[in-house]
Amino acid sequence: MLKTIYFAGGCFWGTQKFFDQFDGVLSTTVGYANGRTDHPTYEQLYRTGHAETVKVDYDPWRITLPELLDYFFMVIDPTSLNRQGADMGTQYRTGVYYTDQEQRPIIRAAFKKAQKNYDDPIVVEAQELENFWPAEEYHQKYLDRNPGGYCHISGRSFDLQKKRKERSIRFYLLRHGRTELNLERRLQGRMDIPLNDTGKEQAREMAEVVREKGITFDRIYCSPLIRAIQTCELVTGVSREDFTIEDRLAEMSFGPIEGQKYAELTDDQKYFFTAPEKYVPLEGGETYQELTERLMGLMNELKDTAPGKNILLTSHGTAIHSILAAIRDKDLEYFWDENVGNCDIYIIDVVDGEFLIRDEKLSIPSGLIPRGVSFRK
């Protein structure tokens, strides 16, 4: 499935050639983004507000957005406002522009990671794409046709594809199918609730997706809760006697409010969903930190145990959100900014010892089965 992202990195001649080197980048187009006029020309940029930008179409199964963002930050000075190399002006500002809302948490994580390398604040724009106008034909692939042309990017940067690391292990994070408590918008936590008929059908649909993708699992670990066990059995076709029950994959404990409807919670208890940074669990409940420590403890324990293997982890909504938040280094206020639906599968690679969340998750085919119920609606 094709995905697109837009990078403004100073002069677009070098930025285009830089991204063209990577396996998984399918096509690039240079153009002018997020300005005030339609159909701008190169000569008009100093007054139109557009940024020289490269549209990058990529295959997320071959290269991920986190990888592209890491490479982008390698070839810009993110603390320089309206200047890269010898080029100055608002048209040479840096930015990442998106059209897919699901890319926002990925971009936010990359910016937070990059900021750690600088004392001065990063001034790179991170915005939704407002407009993009392809540049004149003579600008397209300019450095391919003019190898001696000006470029603000070091020549060594055009050999990074050769240095890309291969994954050593792949995790598949599967959320259980729907239950009656999901449907009633109740907190389940550690309550041992089975799948309802819809949840079972969701799991069968995901089994078909996995089969069509040709995915096999070398190791299978599952939460001890029945809704996860049933989902795991239906998706993999493997009996519970033949996979590992792992207590650390259990859902977050909510203590005495488990089983309550969202509407029945006090304002302080609703902070769990509305303001996670303010949430304080009742007696017997877990904190976000405790949840993250047990889950990432498991991930780190497993990541070096099976090189080249596929590992399935069947768990729960809050638990999977916690893993995503930890890997993306999210502030708690952004804990819920991704949609983890019933029976969705997130894919996480281990590359050079680090976790890398793939862009594409596996979901039940659109429209066939209702998605997970959100407490935040």
Side-chain angles (χ1 to χ4, degrees), residues 161-361:
Q161 169 60 34
K162 300 175 184 177
K163 301 175 183 177
R164 284 181 69 190
K165 303 288 185 180
E166 296 295 327
R167 70 177 174 91
S168 60
I169 194 169
R170 174 167 286 177
F171 289 101
Y172 293 83
L173 269 60
L174 167 64
R175 184 189 175 192
H176 66 80
R178 183 179 294 181
T179 70
E180 285 304 306
L181 265 65
N182 283 147
L183 197 60
E184 296 169 3
R185 302 179 73 195
R186 294 179 184 271
L187 290 176
Q188 294 186 100
R190 299 296 181 85
M191 296 180 70
D192 213 9
I193 308 300
L195 299 179
N196 62 15
D197 289 342
T198 296
K200 292 175 183 177
E201 184 60 25
Q202 288 175 328
R204 294 187 188 102
E205 287 287 338
M206 180 50 70
E208 183 65 17
V209 172
V210 168
R211 186 192 66 78
E212 290 177 354
K213 294 283 186 183
I215 297 170
T216 58
F217 304 114
D218 301 296
R219 295 185 184 181
I220 302 172
Y221 297 83
C222 184
S223 158
L225 299 177
I226 187 63
R227 57 189 182 275
I229 292 172
Q230 289 177 315
T231 301
C232 193
E233 288 182 321
L234 288 168
V235 169
T236 65
V238 175
S239 169
R240 75 188 71 188
E241 287 78 20
D242 296 319
F243 53 75
T244 301
I245 299 298
E246 173 53 68
D247 289 343
R248 285 173 288 182
L249 290 172
E251 180 59 299
M252 187 175 187
S253 173
F254 302 122
I257 61 175
E258 290 186 353
Q260 289 190 32
K261 289 186 175 181
Y262 178 72
E264 298 170 349
L265 301 179
T266 67
D267 289 343
D268 285 352
Q269 292 162 358
K270 288 179 180 178
Y271 281 153
F272 174 76
F273 300 104
T274 60
E277 68 278 9
K278 299 179 182 179
Y279 175 69
V280 177
L282 298 178
E283 183 177 356
E286 276 185 294
T287 66
Y288 282 103
Q289 182 177 352
E290 290 168 337
L291 175 68
T292 300
E293 285 176 354
R294 68 172 163 89
L295 288 163
M296 293 310 298
L298 174 64
M299 295 286 289
N300 282 301
E301 182 181 302
L302 293 175
K303 74 176 183 180
D304 297 320
T305 62
K309 302 297 185 181
N310 293 335
I311 297 180
L312 175 68
L313 305 178
T314 306
S315 192
H316 306 265
T318 310
I320 292 174
H321 272 289
S322 181
I323 293 172
L324 299 177
I327 295 173
R328 299 202 200 279
D329 193 22
K330 295 181 186 178
D331 295 328
L332 268 180
E333 63 181 300
Y334 299 115
F335 186 88
W336 297 103
D337 67 351
E338 298 183 66
N339 179 22
V340 181
N342 289 122
C343 281
D344 281 352
I345 296 180
Y346 277 80
I347 303 170
I348 301 176
D349 288 342
V350 178
V351 180
D352 201 23
E354 296 187 2
F355 295 110
L356 176 67
I357 303 171
R358 308 298 302 186
D359 293 29
E360 286 296 293
K361 65 179 179 180

Side-chain angles (χ1 to χ4, degrees), residues 16-62:
Q16 180 177 42
K17 185 169 181 62
F18 174 71
F19 281 110
D20 278 341
Q21 72 179 292
F22 296 113
D23 177 46
V25 171
L26 305 180
S27 66
T28 58
T29 304
V30 298
Y32 314 122
N34 285 18
R36 297 183 295 273
T37 63
D38 294 348
H39 304 288
T41 64
Y42 181 73
E43 291 76 16
Q44 296 170 341
L45 294 187
Y46 72 94
R47 57 185 171 84
T48 65
H50 294 84
E52 290 196 14
T53 300
V54 180
K55 176 186 178 185
V56 177
D57 296 320
Y58 65 98
D59 179 350
W61 290 101
R62 292 160 60 191

Side-chain angles (χ1 to χ4, degrees), residues 8 72-73 76-81 94-96 111 121-126:
F72 174 66
F73 278 108
I76 64 168
D77 177 356
T79 67
S80 179
L81 183 64
T94 51
V96 179
F111 276 53
I122 285 177
V123 294
V124 183
E125 294 180 336

